[in-house]
């Protein structure tokens, strides 16, 4: 079996050796060192030689792993400013109150996590005191992605600085009363404190990378200079298993995002046990990040280890640290000195001799307590190195002990993630360890008290002074009072009202044409952020390349192959388009950063992200939920929509259910427009609501999801009747009647039916309208259902109003009031989409849809397969009328046979 760590063949193996004798001398020297001083010394010399080569610019493969020691040795650590003793007291209060908050809440069964913040307390405190810039600093301050399970510690610090009260802490995870604190960082629930949701896990690191990238984009485009902003993402080593956590590492290094730092809390534990029981997660992450081009800083051991490293003259200690698996390191945390002497030191004669020089207390101090992530000096050195490093992002791998200072019952125990409280005795032990002035008498009726040194105490004054020097409180989210963006010229929207005449135009193309006009607007055009995952040509957007440019921090360093063409591929440092390649997750992270720039940077940006509809909600619905949490605004556009409209692509591409998933997101306004003028009306309303003058009671913190189709068809003119625009926005309006459509119905008292269609399905309904009239003597009115979801949402709100004693009729019932006959709804999606409104329709209601998996075929054949083509609509309509006795029962059978169904 091949050794994965062995040096692999390279281009050097293919070159002739011009001096074999010299090569042999180098190899002999290495053999001699290995024989005389041991393989560890030989490896050490090789690493130093490779580092020297890299430093002088010689092109060699980079080392992916270094020894299991601190990157910054003790002698090279800078002196940390400030008062470490004072910061230690502040950290002690935060540790106490975080544990007290969760413990007090446990009697209500609401849970919470204690051990994560206990391990990471110094990682946060050092940043808050010396690095994290607040919102009053230059630019927009720093952006902090806080690890979700550490939220109690952040609340504890906000309590200490006066931003939260005991009442707030006592309502941790109890939000319904209005004073509660959300479990994790949720901007929608606590919008003055939290900026970024970081749970679900993995979305935080992905979003942080694209936020740092979007900061560069804003600066490059001249929207706002945020070059002084730094993005900090605090992560868990177990969280790095999520594929999203590492999905964009190469992007960050490729674009040189030195405004980004990952801080990974390597406490070696995840929820159920060790992160890498038989391996070493720090070494694995180091190799992964180095291989992706990141600067890596390891902060593993505290100062107590200095004596041990000085005694390690043979390299035996470093060698042993590298080989011990993480689960065994965790075991050392819970065992006595005798066990450690035997199991750790007893494996090597040199270490046996070293251990004889160490007291039991020294061994326990090193293996139980002393970790780099628990010492302010070590953390400060790592952070300083990170912010001063230029040309690449930095990851800090900080080793800690999960449950540190919480007592022997917590530290490094596999179950500590599920341990939600401490006993009174454990709190008293913790109090003594942290040297907090809390008396036994303060434990009333067995309840742990909160601790606070006083609003005018030295600790609080120090904390507030440090934050003032760094630009204000952190974390914090600012709600900027922004002037509404001026509405674009009306002609951009009105041009679609007249229709396309005989020209076939797909609604996808109509949307792109609309955007091309809107980005030219002198006032708001520069604020559009077009986002596309390597499908611009599919959606007809290539005409935007030369006019807007594709953002690239390097500009265009080559001559594009299509430079002599009008629509050539143009990259630019100030490009407006974000073309992300084949990554829907990355594109959504772009969208989130752009859609929340109004809060993060005080700059309203208008992102639209266009994608294959199947690869939107199905792939990235978790990020769309994150978008709603983060109060994002913008337009998501599901192109090539529908189960039968994308010909030939088949099961994995044929989207028949995205609106169902979208309907589950309270922040998503979901539309399935049929015609170009509907697309224009919806975008116009979205710009008004999200960026202009929202109506009283309207939530601006929403986003729009539009489905558009790639089926070129004639676009009709907007009906010249009252209420069309209102109906488009609310979700339903009558497009025509049998009479206004000009179809011939011979009988004066002909049976009548109402056909509701959305998206491209309305064209089948219109064809069915004609067949019903001409071949079956049935009059059909056709309605455009632009949003089944908004109709349902309005109806649910009406139901809630009735329960409060308010009289209110759902809009769908108002719109259909007096419409004769049954209602038949049809869409290119599964029946569950139109069935959302069924319970509020007073008429007899039925639906048709494309349920099941998609398939590859022509549009006509696919629609016949799913029973949603015009002829199938006719048969379904006759069946409804036959039930009511308005047509002969035999008509249904006759129609099936006539149309070959």
């Amino acid at each position: 079996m091949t050794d994965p760590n062995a040096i692999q063949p390279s281009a050097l193996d293919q070159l002739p050796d011009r001096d074999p004798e010299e090569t042999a001398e180098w190899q002999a020297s290495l053999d001699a060192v290995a024989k005389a001083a041991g393989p560890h010394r030989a490896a050490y010399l090789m690493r130093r030689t490779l580092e020297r080569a890299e430093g002088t610019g010689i092109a060699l493969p980079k080392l992916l792993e270094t020894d299991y020691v601190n990157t910054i040795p003790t002698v090279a650590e800078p002196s940390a400013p400030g008062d470490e003793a004072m910061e230690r007291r502040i950290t002690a209060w935060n540790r106490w109150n975080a544990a007290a908050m969760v413990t007090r809440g446990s009697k209500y069964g609401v849970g919470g996590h204690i051990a994560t913040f206990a391990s990471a307390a110094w990682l946060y405190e050092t940043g808050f005191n010396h690095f994290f810039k607040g919102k009053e600093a230059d630019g927009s301050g720093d952006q902090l992605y806080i690890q979700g399970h550490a939220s109690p510690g952040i609340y504890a610090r906000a309590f200490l600085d006066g931003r939260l009260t005991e009442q707030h802490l006592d309502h941790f995870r109890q939000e319904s009363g209005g004073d509660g604190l959300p479990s994790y960082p949720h901007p929608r629930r606590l919008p003055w404190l939290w900026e970024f949701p970081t749970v679900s896990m993995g979305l935080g690191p992905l979003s942080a990378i694209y936020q740092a990238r979007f900061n560069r984009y804003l600066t490059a485009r001249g929207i706002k200079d945020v070059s002084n902003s730094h993005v900090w993402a605090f992560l868990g080593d177990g969280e790095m298993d999520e594929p999203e956590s590492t999905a964009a590492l190469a992007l960050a290094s490729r674009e040189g995002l030195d405004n980004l730092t990952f801080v990974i809390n390597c406490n070696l534990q995840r929820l159920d046990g060790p992160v890498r029981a038989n391996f070493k997660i720090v070494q694995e992450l180091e190799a992964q990040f180095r291989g992706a081009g990141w600067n890596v800083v390891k902060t593993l051991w505290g100062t107590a280890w200095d004596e041990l490293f000085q005694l390690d003259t043979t390299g035996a200690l470093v060698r042993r640290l590298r080989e011990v698996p993480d689960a065994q390191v965790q075991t050392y945390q819970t065992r006595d000195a005798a066990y450690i002497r035997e199991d750790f030191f007893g494996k090597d004669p040199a270490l046996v001799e070293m251990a004889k020089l160490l007291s039991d207390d020294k061994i326990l101090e090193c293996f139980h307590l002393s970790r780099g992530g628990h010492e302010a000096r070590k953390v400060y050195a790592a952070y300083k190195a990170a912010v001063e490093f230029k040309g690449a992002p930095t990851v800090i791998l900080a080793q800690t002990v999960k449950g540190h200072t919480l007592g022997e019952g917590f530290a490094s125990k596999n179950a500590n993630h599920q341990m939600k409280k401490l006993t009174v005795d454990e709190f008293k032990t913790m109090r003594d360890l942290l040297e907090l002035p809390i008396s036994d008498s303060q434990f009333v009726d067995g309840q742990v008290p909160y601790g606070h040194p006083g609003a005018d105490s030295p600790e609080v004054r120090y904390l507030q002074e440090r934050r003032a020097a760094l630009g204000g409180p952190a974390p914090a989210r600012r709600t900027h009072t922004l002037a509404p963006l001026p509405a674009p010229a009306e002609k951009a929207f009105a041009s679609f009202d007249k229709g396309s005449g005989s020209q076939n135009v797909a609604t996808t193309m109509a949307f792109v044409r609309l955007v091309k006009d809107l980005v030219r607007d002198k006032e708001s055009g520069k604020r559009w952020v077009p986002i596309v995952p390597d499908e611009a040509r599919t959606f007809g957007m290539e005409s935007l390349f030369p006019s807007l440019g594709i953002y690239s921090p390097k500009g265009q360093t080559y001559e594009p192959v299509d430079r002599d063409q009008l629509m050539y591929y143009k990259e630019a440092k100030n490009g407006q388009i974000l073309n992300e390649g084949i990554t829907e997750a990355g594109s959504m992270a772009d969208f989130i950063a752009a859609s929340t720039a109004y809060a993060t940077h005080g700059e309203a940006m208008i992102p639209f992200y266009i994608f294959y509809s199947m690869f939107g909600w199905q792939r990235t619905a978790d990020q769309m939920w994150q978008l709603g949490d983060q109060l994002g605004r913008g337009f998501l556009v599901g192109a090539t929509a529908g189960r039968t409209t994308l010909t030939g692509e088949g099961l994995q591409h044929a989207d028949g259910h995205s609106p169902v998933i979208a309907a589950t997101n309270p922040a998503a306004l979901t539309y399935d427009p049929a015609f170009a003028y509907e697309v224009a009306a919806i975008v116009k309303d979205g710009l008004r609501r999200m960026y202009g003058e929202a109506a009283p009671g309207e939530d601006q913190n929403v986003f729009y999801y539009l489905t558009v189709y790639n089926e070129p068809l004639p676009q009709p003119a907007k009906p010249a009747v009252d209420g069309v625009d209102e109906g488009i926005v609310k979700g339903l309006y009558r497009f025509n009647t049998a009479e206004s459509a000009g179809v011939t119905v011979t009988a004066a008292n002909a049976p009548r039916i109402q056909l509701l269609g959305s998206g491209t399905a309305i064209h089948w309904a219109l064809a069915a309208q004609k067949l019903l009239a001409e071949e079956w003597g049935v009059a059909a009115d056709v309605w455009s259902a632009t949003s089944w979801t908004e109709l349902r949402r309005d109806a649910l709100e009406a139901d809630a109003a009735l329960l409060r004693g308010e009289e209110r009729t759902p809009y769908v019932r108002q719109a259909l009031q007096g419409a004769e006959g049954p209602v038949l709804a049809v869409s290119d999606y599964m029946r569950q989409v139109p069935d959302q409104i069924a319970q509020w329709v007073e008429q007899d209601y039925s639906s048709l849809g494309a349920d099941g998996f998609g398939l590859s075929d022509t549009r006509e054949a696919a629609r016949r397969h799913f029973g949603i083509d015009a002829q199938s609509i006719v048969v379904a309509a006759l069946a409804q009328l036959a039930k009511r006795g308005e047509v002969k029962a035999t008509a249904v059978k006759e129609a099936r046979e006539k149309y070959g169904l």
Side-chain angles (χ1 to χ4, degrees), residues 697-773:
E698 274 188 325
D699 184 3
Q700 282 190 286
N701 298 318
V702 296
F703 60 93
Y704 283 62
Y705 173 58
L706 283 74
T707 54
V708 292
Y709 297 80
N710 71 328
E711 186 171 15
L713 292 165
Q715 294 296 324
K718 181 192 290 188
V721 295
D722 293 338
V724 172
D725 286 332
E726 179 188 25
I728 291 171
V729 172
K730 289 190 172 182
L732 181 68
Y733 69 95
R734 183 155 49 194
F735 177 72
N736 69 18
T737 63
E739 292 75 17
S740 66
V743 296
T744 304
V745 183
T746 55
N749 59 345
R752 186 172 289 270
I753 191 168
Q754 307 299 316
L755 302 179
L756 278 57
S758 68
T760 197
I762 201 168
H763 296 282
W764 323 327
L766 290 168
Q769 179 188 50
K770 185 176 181 180
L771 290 175
L772 283 167

Side-chain angles (χ1 to χ4, degrees), residues 318-550:
V318 173
R319 211 163 41 244
R320 181 66 177 137
L321 288 174
R322 189 182 179 96
E323 69 187 21
V324 175
D326 283 352
Q328 192 63 23
V329 173
Q330 183 180 336
T331 298
Y332 294 149
Q333 178 68 35
T334 64
R335 298 301 180 91
D336 59 19
Y339 178 89
I340 298 171
R341 285 182 186 277
E342 179 181 352
D343 191 86
F344 181 83
F345 292 98
K347 303 298 184 181
D348 188 297
L351 293 180
V352 171
E353 295 302 313
M354 179 189 294
K356 293 178 181 177
L357 304 175
L358 304 174
S359 67
D360 285 355
D361 287 345
K362 182 65 177 181
I363 289 175
L364 293 178
E365 180 187 12
C366 289
F367 284 84
H368 284 194
L369 301 174
S370 186
R371 299 292 187 274
H374 295 323
E375 295 190 12
R377 179 178 175 178
K378 304 290 186 185
V379 176
Y380 179 86
Y383 286 7
K384 189 172 188 293
V387 297
E388 291 179 354
F389 190 87
K390 300 303 177 186
T394 294
V395 59
I396 295 169
L397 304 175
Q399 186 159 281
T400 66
V401 174
K402 194 168 186 177
H404 183 60
T405 73
L406 296 179
E408 294 181 359
F410 268 82
S412 287
K413 294 298 176 64
N414 281 336
N416 61 22
H417 186 80
Q418 303 301 327
M419 297 162 71
K420 310 300 183 185
K421 59 184 178 180
L422 279 70
T423 66
V424 169
D425 287 341
E426 287 172 329
F427 266 110
K428 290 179 179 178
T429 301
M430 181 182 178
R431 170 201 62 191
D432 297 340
L433 175 65
L434 298 176
E435 299 179 345
L436 291 172
I438 298 173
S439 64
D440 287 354
S441 63
Q442 291 178 259
F443 290 80
V444 179
D445 296 329
Q447 175 147 285
V448 56
Y450 293 120
H452 199 293
D456 196 40
S457 64
E459 292 93 334
V460 173
R461 288 202 307 271
Y462 180 90
L463 182 157
Q464 293 175 341
E465 288 168 1
R466 291 306 309 142
R467 289 312 314 157
L470 287 166
R477 181 181 182 273
R478 287 288 181 264
T479 303
H480 300 271
T481 304
L482 301 179
L485 290 182
E490 180 63 26
K491 65 179 182 180
F493 306 102
S495 63
F496 294 92
D497 291 352
K498 61 184 179 182
S500 65
S502 60
Q503 182 184 7
N504 289 334
V505 177
T507 52
T508 298
M509 183 53 65
F511 176 80
V512 172
R513 287 182 183 177
L514 174 62
V515 169
K516 286 172 66 177
D517 289 339
L518 294 176
V519 295
R520 295 191 187 106
D521 186 83
K522 292 181 179 179
E523 297 290 337
S524 60
K526 68 178 182 179
R527 297 190 176 274
W528 282 86
V529 183
I531 302 167
V532 61
D534 199 34
E535 288 281 5
R537 298 182 192 279
T538 301
F539 308 135
M541 290 175 58
E542 64 268 28
S543 61
L544 298 177
F545 288 169
S547 59
L548 301 184
I550 299 165

Side-chain angles (χ1 to χ4, degrees), residues 178-202:
D179 292 323
L181 300 177
S183 53
Y184 302 128
H186 294 305
R188 186 167 284 274
R189 293 301 185 203
L190 203 61
W192 61 268
L193 181 72
W194 298 121
E195 279 195 285
F196 308 107
T198 52
V199 181
S200 299
M201 287 188 175

Side-chain angles (χ1 to χ4, degrees), residues 234-271:
F234 287 83
L235 318 168
D237 47 1
E239 181 178 4
M240 301 311 294
D241 285 349
E242 290 285 1
E244 296 90 348
S245 294
T246 55
L249 297 186
L251 167 72
S253 61
R254 183 169 67 244
E255 299 204 359
L257 298 181
D258 50 25
N259 60 339
L260 170 68
T261 297
F262 277 15
V263 181
I264 303 182
N265 179 16
C266 298
N267 57 35
L268 312 185
Q269 288 183 253
R270 52 187 174 200
L271 277 60

Side-chain angles (χ1 to χ4, degrees), residues 21 72 147 267 292 308 365 402 470 502 539 575 630 670 744 781 800 824 880:
E21 186 176 346
I72 305 171
Q147 190 180 0
N267 57 35
L308 276 68
E365 180 187 12
K402 194 168 186 177
L470 287 166
S502 60
F539 308 135
Q630 201 168 319
T670 302
T744 304
D781 301 337
L824 174 60
Q880 283 294 92

Side-chain angles (χ1 to χ4, degrees), residues 791-792 795-796 799 810 812-813 835-842:
L791 292 173
R792 175 180 175 81
L796 289 172
D799 285 355
V812 64
R813 188 169 295 167
D835 283 351
Q836 290 180 84
I837 66 169
Q839 71 185 81
W840 293 281
V841 176
E842 293 182 313

